[in-house]
Amino acid sequence: MKSLYFKEEHNLFRDSVRKFLQKEVIPFINAWEEERRIPKEIFKKMGEQGYLGLNFPAEYGGVGADFWYSVVFLEEIAKVGAGGFPTAVSVHQYMAINHIFRAGSDFLKQKYLVPAIAGEKVAALGISEPGAGSDVASIRTKAVKDGDFYIINGAKTFITNGTYGDFITLAVSTNPENKAGGISLIVVDLDSEGITRTKLKKMGWHSSDTAEISFDNVRVPKENLVGVENFGFYYIMESFQLERLVAGIMAVASSKWILEETIRYMHEREAFGRKIAKYQTLRHTIADLATELYAAEQMVYHTCWLQNEGEVAVKECSMVKLHCSELANKVVDRCLQVFGGYGYMEDYLVCRAYRDARVGTIAGGTSEIMREIIAKMMIDDVEYKPVYS
Ligand SMILES: Cc1cc2nc3c(=O)[nH]c(=O)nc-3n(C[C@H](O)[C@H](O)[C@H](O)COP(=O)(O)OP(=O)(O)OC[C@H]3O[C@@H](n4cnc5c(N)ncnc54)[C@H](O)[C@@H]3O)c2cc1C
């Protein structure tokens, strides 16, 4: 179908990503879900294809492509049959290393961004703590200067790629009295002395590893500071927009995929001597969900266009995250119903999709926080100004 956004080169790229995933990911995804991890070699293979540096410039090993290549990539990885894999990959490329690219020194770019784009190092982003998730300004992990080093103490939780990752872009308090104005980002090697990583058991997203990480007098060279000291909160808030847009892109793509799986099942399953695809109530369910997904997709694409134009679209990205993650839960709930009892069985992908969708309204900013941001902008005329530029 014709598109305002995707050109022939994007369609060709989609074909090549699909082929790659068919060969290197989809046959193994069930095993990775069982093992609760993704082998590091797959990052290397994606790096060799250029998939981990789509929007980063060639001087760091990136492709320097427009944002629509990322949209294609994210849509395709969201359809591999499990939410854990796309989560791990998107946290690496669009969250953890994006900060290093946007604000990091050339030293940090060479040391961390270049190997991450090549897939030789896996990255995590450490913001959430046991005592502070939504309220980022209240984080308590501290970094205190000691000569040429920062000494870090504290704990992070729910960290994707935290158990097997190589480094973390870490939010720390460098000036606790200033709360939001006292937070900095520091890149920390995850095998540093004083770090303990504990893998967490989750409801879904099984193939992505999620960790609690404690820091006990961890010494980090002061060159590992990302950008300006005490600017971390503002970097995080701006970067959240890309994170939330990415979440929306994947929520719609994975919902469309599970809807297709459901339609396929409706053509196979019989009840009362007829294929269930003949029952009007189920047909209307599909029609309603497809319509809502079409509307959501257009909202996502328009916001991707803003992103590609270099806009920091806080309201639109928050709306995308809110609407698409809530809709993904609705879609997968209704789809599971169509599968009847089989939908509740682990052998059926809709069962995993149901578990995986649930966290969408929580991770990367809850629906309540999205509503707070939107309401502040709509009602109180609050504006958010870009910080990186
Ligand atoms: C699987 C998974 C992976 C994750 N990966 C990462 C990661 O890689 N890196 C990272 O840093 N974090 C990660 N997170 C953390 C995630 O971003 C947080 O869970 C999320 O921001 C919510 O924080 P919280 O869990 O502490 O909830 P809380 O902030 O404690 O919120 C609890 C409840 O209170 C509500 N609430 C809070 N404040 C308000 C308010 N002002 N108004 C109305 N309601 C409010 C919330 O919406 C929620 O319903 C991950 C989480 C999960 C589950």
Side-chain angles (χ1 to χ4, degrees):
M1 194 189 275
K2 281 185 179 170
S3 162
L4 261 183
Y5 307 109
F6 299 109
K7 302 199 171 72
E8 185 53 21
E9 61 261 32
H10 300 117
N11 298 335
L12 291 172
F13 177 63
R14 191 182 293 279
D15 291 343
S16 77
V17 174
R18 274 188 188 159
K19 277 193 196 121
F20 175 86
L21 296 172
Q22 284 290 350
K23 181 165 177 261
E24 303 288 355
V25 175
I26 293 171
F28 311 107
I29 198 77
N30 290 343
W32 298 348
E33 283 279 297
E34 286 290 320
E35 290 159 16
R36 304 294 198 258
R37 68 174 297 178
I38 294 158
K40 275 196 169 163
E41 300 81 71
I42 192 64
F43 279 90
K44 186 86 176 61
K45 286 180 182 172
M46 285 188 289
E48 283 163 5
Q49 298 296 320
Y51 295 160
L52 300 180
L54 291 170
N55 304 134
F56 298 120
E59 61 181 305
Y60 305 116
V63 177
D66 64 42
F67 189 63
W68 297 104
Y69 281 83
S70 281
V71 180
V72 168
F73 178 66
L74 291 161
E75 287 181 337
E76 292 306 316
I77 61 172
K79 296 189 286 187
V80 298
F85 172 76
T87 300
V89 175
S90 59
V91 165
H92 171 89
Q93 177 168 197
Y94 297 97
M95 298 161 206
I97 61 174
N98 192 42
H99 286 291
I100 302 174
F101 171 64
R102 299 297 300 269
S105 62
D106 198 54
F107 163 77
L108 285 181
K109 285 179 177 137
Q110 295 304 332
K111 186 159 180 205
Y112 295 102
L113 181 66
V114 170
I117 289 174
E120 286 157 4
K121 284 188 176 180
V122 176
L125 176 67
I127 301 171
S128 306
E129 300 191 348
S134 305
D135 185 5
V136 175
S138 292
I139 63 164
R140 289 165 63 183
T141 298
K142 280 191 189 61
V144 177
K145 270 210 193 102
D146 179 21
D148 289 339
F149 292 86
Y150 285 103
I151 311 292
I152 300 178
N153 281 287
K156 296 286 168 183
T157 196
F158 305 143
I159 306 306
T160 303
N161 297 335
T163 320
Y164 306 114
D166 297 294
F167 67 88
I168 186 165
T169 306
L170 190 71
V172 289
S173 173
T174 33
N175 185 350
E177 279 168 23
N178 276 358
K179 288 204 85 179
I183 291 173
S184 303
L185 291 178
I186 297 179
V187 183
V188 182
D189 289 304
L190 279 166
D191 60 359
S192 305
E193 209 179 320
I195 289 185
T196 309
R197 307 192 244 180
T198 310
K199 193 166 174 167
L200 300 171
K201 287 186 184 165
K202 310 190 290 294
M203 175 184 181
W205 281 4
H206 287 157
S207 42
S208 71
D209 90 74
T210 310
E212 179 145 330
I213 309 178
S214 71
F215 300 82
D216 181 12
N217 287 318
V218 177
R219 285 172 76 80
V220 181
K222 68 178 188 338
E223 299 86 69
N224 282 25
L225 175 74
V226 179
V228 181
E229 198 176 60
N230 299 325
F231 254 62
F233 181 83
Y234 309 103
Y235 296 145
I236 292 168
M237 291 301 131
E238 186 163 322
S239 197
F240 267 157
Q241 309 321 314
L242 176 60
E243 178 170 344
R244 288 165 185 167
L245 182 55
V246 163
I249 295 166
M250 296 201 298
V252 170
S254 60
S255 300
K256 283 179 70 180
W257 162 74
I258 208 65
L259 195 70
E260 282 166 20
E261 292 289 313
T262 307
I263 294 169
R264 202 184 341 271
Y265 183 77
M266 286 168 68
H267 286 301
E268 287 166 9
R269 180 72 176 170
E270 288 190 5
F272 297 96
R274 304 169 76 194
K275 300 287 184 202
I276 62 170
K278 295 289 178 201
Y279 288 111
Q280 192 185 47
T281 178
L282 301 187
R283 297 168 69 84
H284 285 191
T285 296
I286 298 296
D288 282 344
L289 297 177
T291 305
E292 286 187 62
L293 282 170
Y294 180 63
E297 189 173 60
Q298 295 311 307
M299 169 195 207
V300 166
Y301 285 165
H302 176 69
T303 312
C304 290
W305 176 79
L306 292 173
Q307 169 74 23
N308 198 42
E309 293 290 299
E311 296 278 320
V312 182
V314 177
K315 187 173 67 189
E316 290 79 2
C317 289
S318 307
M319 287 174 167
V320 160
K321 168 75 167 56
L322 171 64
H323 184 65
C324 299
S325 61
E326 293 285 346
L327 179 58
N329 273 282
K330 178 178 171 182
V331 169
V332 80
D333 179 74
R334 302 289 196 281
C335 287
L336 192 146
Q337 187 71 18
V338 173
F339 279 78
Y342 288 107
Y344 204 64
M345 298 298 122
E346 277 290 341
D347 285 346
Y348 281 74
L349 284 176
V350 71
C351 176
R352 184 189 292 159
Y354 182 86
R355 285 192 273 102
D356 287 349
R358 187 61 194 88
V359 74
T361 62
I362 297 169
T366 65
S367 288
E368 291 76 16
I369 295 299
M370 295 307 100
R371 291 189 183 99
E372 277 299 297
I373 295 168
I374 298 161
K376 274 186 200 160
M377 296 187 79
M378 300 291 300
I379 301 165
D380 306 331
D381 295 327
V382 169
E383 283 180 33
Y384 296 94
K385 297 208 164 42
V387 285
Y388 281 119
S389 48

